[in-house]
Each structure stands twice: as C-alpha cells, then as structure tokens.
Amino acid sequence: MKETILEIQNLNKRYGKIHAVNDLSLKIKQGQIYGILGPNGSGKTTTLGIILGVINADSGSYKWFGQTPNAATRRKIGAILEHPNFLPYLSAKENLKIICQIRNVPYQDIDRVLQIVNLSSRSRSLYKTYSYGMKQRLAIAAALLGDPGVLILDEPTNGLDPAGIAEVRALIRKVASTDKTIILASHLLDEVQKICTHVLVIHNGKKIQSSTVEEIVNNGYKVEIEAADFINLRKSAEESPFIKSFSGEGNKLLCTLEEGKTAEEVNQYFFSKGIVLKQLNPIHQSLEQHFLALLNDD
Amino acid sequence: MINYFTIEFLKIRTYKTVWILLGIFILGFALGGSALESMLNKTITDNTSGSLIPLPGFSLYLFPSVWQNLFFIAGFVKLFPGFLFVMLVTNEFTHDTIRQNVITGMSKNQILNSKVVMATSIALITTLVVFLIALTNGLIHKTPEIPFGTLFQKLEFVPAYFLEIMTYLMVCLFFALTLRKPIVAILSMLVYSIIAEPIIAYKLGASMNQFLPLKAAANLIRIPRTTLMEFFGYEFQEYVAGKDILICLAYCLLFYFVLRLIMKRRDL
C-alpha cells in the first residue's frame, strides 16, 4: 500500500457570492500523477493556494504526509502557483539562491536544476530579460531545487510555444518516472490525458469526478454495430444484459457498454442470437468528450 | 536570525537601485550635515546685518553636543530609509515573491520576522552612517581645549536614534504589509506622517500627543540647545527620556503583534 501524500477533507472557500472551492475532498498517494482538471475559474488555483499555505480556507482541512501542515512540510514540496514569481532585478541564479536559503538546500543544486530546464547559459541574465517560456522553465527549476518528493504544477505549459510545451511535458514525465508524486492543474484535457495517471474533474469549485485516467478513457466504452436485420438487432440490443444504452442511426446502432465488456463479447452475444454483424467498430472516448459530457451534466 | 538576514540580503545584494540610494543618502548627509553650520551662520549674518543686537552663531560640531545636534537633524531625513524600506517590502507583493516564499517553505510569521530583521538592518546602517559623519565632524572641529573624554559623553543619542528609526520603520512596515501596493503605501505613509499625525498631535495637545507613534519617535531626541533659542526662553531637554523610550518600545511590539495577526488572517 502506497503512502498517502495529501488528504483534503471537505474544503470550502468563498469569495463573496462565489463559492470558489465547494466541499472538496480528495486523496493522493505516492507516485500518482494527479491531474486537477477544470475550466478557467473552476477553483483549481484556489485549491492549490490553500494546500500551499497562502490562502486560508473557510472550513475543512488538509494533511500533507499525514501531518498537520506547516512551513516545514512545504519545504518537501516543489510548487508553481499561477505564474512564475521572481524578483525581476535579480539574475536567475540569485533568485534561486533565495529559494535554496529558504529550503536549506546547498547552492550547488542550482546548476543541476538549471541544466534540467536548459537555462544554464542564461543563469546570469536578469530575470526581467527572460521570455515568458524561460520564466516558466525557471519556475520549474525552482520547484525542483532540493529534489522534493512532491511537485505541484499549476498550468505549467501556459504561455509556452509548441516546442516548449513538448519539452515541459517530457520533463514532467521524466520526473514522474522517479516515483515522485505530481499534482498537475490544467484546463488542457490533452495535457492531463497525456501525462496523468489520475484525474479529478472540478467545476465551480465542486468535484465532478475522480478516477484513473484509464477508467475514464475506457469507461462508457462504445461500439458501433450494423446488421442486415435491423429490427432484430434493436430487439436483441434491448434484451442484452451488458448494453447500457443505445441509439439508432440508419441501419447502425451506437451502444454504450457496461464497464469491462469488449467488442468480442458483443460479437459473440449477437451471434448467439442469430444475428451476424456486418460491422463492429469500437469507439474510444477521449477525455475531452468525457469532460465536456460531465460539464454539460453539471 | 542569520538565515532571515541572509534571505533578505540575497534580495538586495545585486539590486543596484538599493546601493545607489544608500550612496546618495551617505553622500547627501555627509555634505549636508557637514555644511549645515556654516549655512546656518551665514543665514544669520545675512539677515541680522545692521541689527543692534548681534545674534550668536551656531557651533554644531563640538563634543559632546555634536551627537544630539546631528542625530536631531538626522531625524528629519528618516523619510529616506523609510521610503527604501516600504519600496523593498511592497516590491515583493508586486512580484508575488512573498507568496512564493511562503509556498517555498516560510511561515507567515517568518516572513514578518525577516522584514523586521530587514528594518533592524536598515536602522543600524542609518545610525552607523550618521554616527560616522557626526564623529568625523566632531574630530575635525575638536580643539585642544576640549578634553578627549567628552567624545564619549552623551552617546545615549546613538541608540536613541536607532530606536527612533526602528519605530518609524515599524510604522512603515505596517503601511507596507497592509496596503501592499507601492504607491498607495508610500503616499499613505507620507500623508500620515506629514499631515494626519501632526494635525492629531495639535488637537490632542502636548500632554497626550507624546503617545502618538511618530511623535514619540521624534521626542526621543529633542531640539538641541542653541543660544538663539535660549533668547526666547525655550526649555531644552539634553537627555533621552525613559518615558519616550518606553512608548517607542511599546509601539514596536504593538505593531509587530498586530501585523502577526493581520498576516495570519489575510490571504497572500
């Protein structure tokens, strides 16, 4: 059993009429790459702000590593919140020294993290001369200082060009392969699907769903089927124990299957009913379709 | 403690503006403080030429009165370290680095402590600069008739000035941490110190206004004795009053604990 890294219980935060975080609970275990997915303004950053000690929750609690959180527990977490925050009139290296000093990490580690994010050659340039992509990469470097076991990345690919996005994602995957726990907030479905193992979908501060990414992609697995005898096809589909729902279009039926059922079993079933399928197309639902469906339901 | 100092020092170590401002302050006070005596005396002779009663001139730099004279004058330029301090603290809200420092692993109390350490450092440097300029001027103007021992008399004005600046910087810190925006904090500080508190002080009267923070800070080092003022029967206080020290210390503690509460409650 993997150790629980973060546990959030019934967290609430209001800004006037807006319920930014609404009774949110979650549990993150070691080694998970946990995506927090939601449209802009859904409460992702507020939630992260609370668990990082900069925003006070109205009610609810959270624990890091099973402990009541304090400044010392935060030193074991590398985090970016919203946008890169550095002093513009200092060089990248000087800015990272401040982080080292706070976390009690030797300055030698600076060269290592700058190498990882490919900024070694610009380490002496003033932060204000950096492009947005470089600032974002420096923020990731800062989060990596001291090699913390947990990384929190809030929209880490925001403002990056396509090459930068690919680079950062590769970087996250590389870091993730070392059994680190990563919490990634994003409004980009594609990003979460490509990187994360687990996902929490939030909207208007409320948890809509939490599961593994695999479950979502495989959940509501659909097949499109076609047979010459459409009336019988429809009737058998209705009687089937594992077709949750279906809709007809021309001679074709689009069936949503129970979890765990495969196209093979569908074929077998209809054959046993004396129907020969002319066509059988498995349709994988992307996280995007699932996400949009969830938001529409809400 | 040393860690707080290191963290804050790293933030200004390569920040040119700070060192330029410090240079201007040292140079300005060295020149101004050293030229003041002749400037004052010239004004007097210019305005009293033809007057029947010759007015006595100033001698600012004689031990031991040089300490009270120059530290009293230095009380008027505390706006300068105050401005620098408010700028440095509010900068960190502008760039969200206070927020980042908390995320990185400082508690809100540690943030406040590091700012108090920064205020202490600025107060110490300001005091040291004024001390060295006063000492230099005193030594330049020292005549053989002045015994060497007088150099060490009335040195109480040195720590008194430190406390004056410290109290002032704690008021600055209050404005900086509550208002957060550089321009808003600096303007409010100016309005409070130049307009609001003097008006309140005037309304309250001398017996009560000594309890106002900036008035209490200014009261630590009273106006030095001058022959000119003696003409008008002015009463001088040539020592630092324990009561004023207590009021200032109380204000420093009060601001510290009020800020602790405010920091704890507010989001960053």
Side-chain angles (χ1 to χ4, degrees):
Chain A
M1 196 64 194
K2 294 263 188 180
E3 191 199 341
T4 300
I5 296 290
L6 171 68
E7 187 170 7
I8 297 182
Q9 269 174 341
N10 310 98
L11 214 57
N12 278 289
K13 176 73 178 180
R14 279 175 185 279
Y15 291 112
K17 278 183 188 166
I18 298 159
H19 207 155
V21 180
N22 190 345
D23 207 36
L24 192 73
S25 300
L26 62 86
K27 208 180 228 184
I28 297 175
K29 297 208 182 268
Q30 196 195 338
Q32 290 183 349
I33 306 178
Y34 200 95
I36 299 180
L37 185 60
N40 290 328
S42 56
K44 301 186 295 285
T45 298
T46 308
T47 306
L48 295 182
I50 293 170
I51 61 173
L52 288 170
V54 292
I55 296 174
N56 296 320
D58 295 338
S59 65
S61 66
Y62 64 96
K63 277 183 174 177
W64 277 111
F65 316 105
Q67 296 167 6
T68 313
N70 58 29
T73 52
R74 283 199 295 277
R75 273 173 236 147
K76 297 184 211 163
I77 303 160
I80 312 174
L81 195 60
E82 270 178 304
H83 35 71
N85 302 323
F86 295 100
L87 293 171
Y89 41 79
L90 301 185
S91 70
K93 201 162 185 172
E94 290 297 318
N95 269 300
L96 292 187
K97 277 186 190 170
I98 298 171
I99 311 260
C100 283
Q101 199 64 37
I102 296 173
R103 307 193 95 132
N104 212 1
V105 169
Y107 291 169
Q108 290 96 296
D109 205 35
I110 292 173
D111 291 336
R112 178 186 70 91
V113 296
L114 285 175
Q115 196 112 47
I116 295 175
V117 299
N118 221 346
L119 280 176
S120 300
S121 59
R122 290 291 304 273
S123 68
R124 285 176 198 285
S125 308
L126 295 188
Y127 176 70
K128 63 182 169 200
T129 65
Y130 273 29
S131 70
Y132 194 79
M134 292 164 78
K135 289 177 178 176
Q136 195 77 16
R137 264 150 53 205
L138 185 65
I140 294 175
L144 292 172
L145 274 176
D147 205 20
V150 182
L151 281 182
I152 296 182
L153 305 169
D154 186 12
E155 308 275 6
T157 56
N158 228 359
L160 298 183
D161 55 21
I165 292 174
E167 217 173 280
V168 166
R169 285 184 187 165
L171 183 66
I172 296 171
R173 269 192 232 104
K174 197 168 113 194
V175 174
S177 63
T178 56
D179 206 32
K180 284 197 190 329
T181 310
I182 299 178
I183 302 171
L184 175 88
S186 180
H187 65 277
L188 302 170
L189 301 135
D190 178 51
E191 183 160 284
V192 171
Q193 189 166 2
K194 279 187 180 151
I195 299 175
C196 298
T197 56
H198 291 69
V199 63
L200 168 85
V201 183
I202 60 172
H203 187 45
N204 294 331
K206 249 196 292 197
K207 167 155 73 175
I208 300 180
Q209 191 181 17
S210 91
S211 59
T212 65
V213 170
E214 203 176 317
E215 260 166 28
I216 290 187
V217 176
N218 290 337
N219 179 28
Y221 180 53
K222 287 178 181 171
V223 290
E224 197 183 45
I225 51 176
E226 190 184 346
D229 185 357
F230 187 66
I231 295 166
N232 245 332
L233 183 74
R234 238 190 124 87
K235 191 165 159 273
S236 304
E238 239 166 76
E239 289 164 358
S240 150
F242 57 81
I243 294 176
K244 282 205 291 199
S245 64
F246 60 85
S247 54
E249 229 176 77
N251 271 356
K252 292 176 183 168
L253 277 186
L254 186 65
C255 309
T256 306
L257 308 183
E258 299 247 312
E259 224 169 289
K261 295 292 166 189
T262 61
E264 201 181 334
E265 286 169 275
V266 174
N267 199 6
Q268 230 161 28
Y269 169 75
F270 283 104
F271 198 73
S272 72
K273 293 278 173 187
I275 300 167
V276 180
L277 295 177
K278 267 165 77 181
Q279 224 189 84
L280 175 63
N281 295 328
I283 294 165
H284 278 283
Q285 189 181 20
S286 76
L287 195 52
E288 180 155 0
Q289 288 160 329
H290 184 80
F291 181 69
L292 292 174
L294 280 175
L295 293 187
N296 285 335
D297 289 350
D298 194 49
Chain B
M1 195 72 157
I2 291 165
N3 200 24
Y4 293 142
F5 180 81
T6 316
I7 290 168
E8 294 306 314
F9 183 66
L10 281 171
K11 289 174 183 172
I12 58 163
R13 200 173 72 94
T14 57
Y15 186 14
K16 282 196 194 105
T17 315
V18 170
W19 302 110
I20 292 170
L21 284 176
L22 182 66
I24 291 172
F25 178 72
I26 294 174
L27 208 67
F29 197 78
L31 291 176
S34 311
L36 196 64
E37 185 182 280
S38 50
M39 274 158 59
L40 285 173
N41 288 335
K42 188 173 186 309
T43 316
I44 288 174
T45 42
D46 284 355
N47 290 316
T48 55
S49 56
S51 156
L52 290 175
I53 317 160
L55 281 173
F58 289 96
S59 44
L60 296 177
Y61 309 121
L62 300 180
F63 287 122
S65 58
V66 62
W67 300 125
Q68 186 177 3
N69 292 341
L70 280 199
F71 278 110
F72 174 75
I73 292 157
F76 292 104
V77 296
K78 58 178 176 274
L79 229 60
F80 202 88
F83 168 79
L84 178 72
F85 184 48
V86 173
M87 184 191 82
L88 286 173
V89 175
T90 51
N91 252 348
E92 295 217 53
F93 283 106
T94 309
H95 306 300
D96 266 337
T97 44
I98 286 200
R99 189 182 208 205
Q100 190 62 45
N101 289 167
V102 169
I103 291 170
T104 304
M106 285 177 93
S107 68
K108 287 177 177 177
N109 279 343
Q110 287 173 332
I111 293 278
L112 177 60
N113 292 347
S114 69
K115 297 305 167 204
V116 173
V117 167
M118 193 205 273
T120 313
S121 311
I122 293 177
L124 277 175
I125 290 167
T126 314
T127 308
L128 183 70
V129 167
V130 178
F131 172 80
L132 290 176
I133 291 166
L135 180 69
T136 313
N137 275 302
L139 290 175
I140 290 171
H141 293 84
K142 189 178 164 317
T143 53
E145 297 92 75
I146 304 172
F148 196 73
T150 52
L151 201 153
F152 303 103
Q153 285 171 14
K154 307 229 172 180
L155 275 176
E156 66 198 77
F157 288 107
V158 182
Y161 184 70
F162 169 76
L163 183 59
E164 177 179 351
I165 296 287
M166 199 59 208
T167 310
Y168 181 73
L169 291 181
M170 287 305 284
V171 178
C172 289
L173 187 59
F174 180 79
F175 279 95
L177 286 181
T178 51
L179 298 172
R180 299 182 174 189
K181 297 218 172 11
I183 310 245
V184 179
I186 287 171
L187 283 182
S188 307
M189 186 62 206
L190 284 177
V191 169
Y192 177 75
S193 58
I194 298 171
I195 303 168
E197 210 196 87
I199 291 176
I200 300 167
Y202 177 73
K203 298 250 175 195
L204 284 177
S207 61
M208 285 306 291
N209 72 18
Q210 57 177 322
F211 294 106
L212 292 169
L214 295 185
K215 184 74 181 162
N219 277 348
L220 283 168
I221 301 173
R222 305 283 176 121
I223 188 163
R225 175 183 298 275
T226 51
T227 331
L228 178 67
M229 294 289 278
E230 270 180 332
F231 266 24
F232 302 102
Y234 194 88
E235 298 249 347
F236 293 100
Q237 181 185 314
E238 288 178 289
Y239 58 92
V240 182
K243 180 191 66 185
D244 294 329
I245 295 174
L246 283 181
I247 297 171
C248 286
L249 286 176
Y251 265 117
C252 288
L253 287 176
L254 179 75
F255 279 116
Y256 178 74
F257 285 104
V258 167
L259 281 172
R260 257 176 95 110
L261 275 183
I262 292 173
M263 291 284 281
K264 193 177 170 193
R265 288 186 182 190
R266 281 179 70 181
D267 294 340
L268 285 172

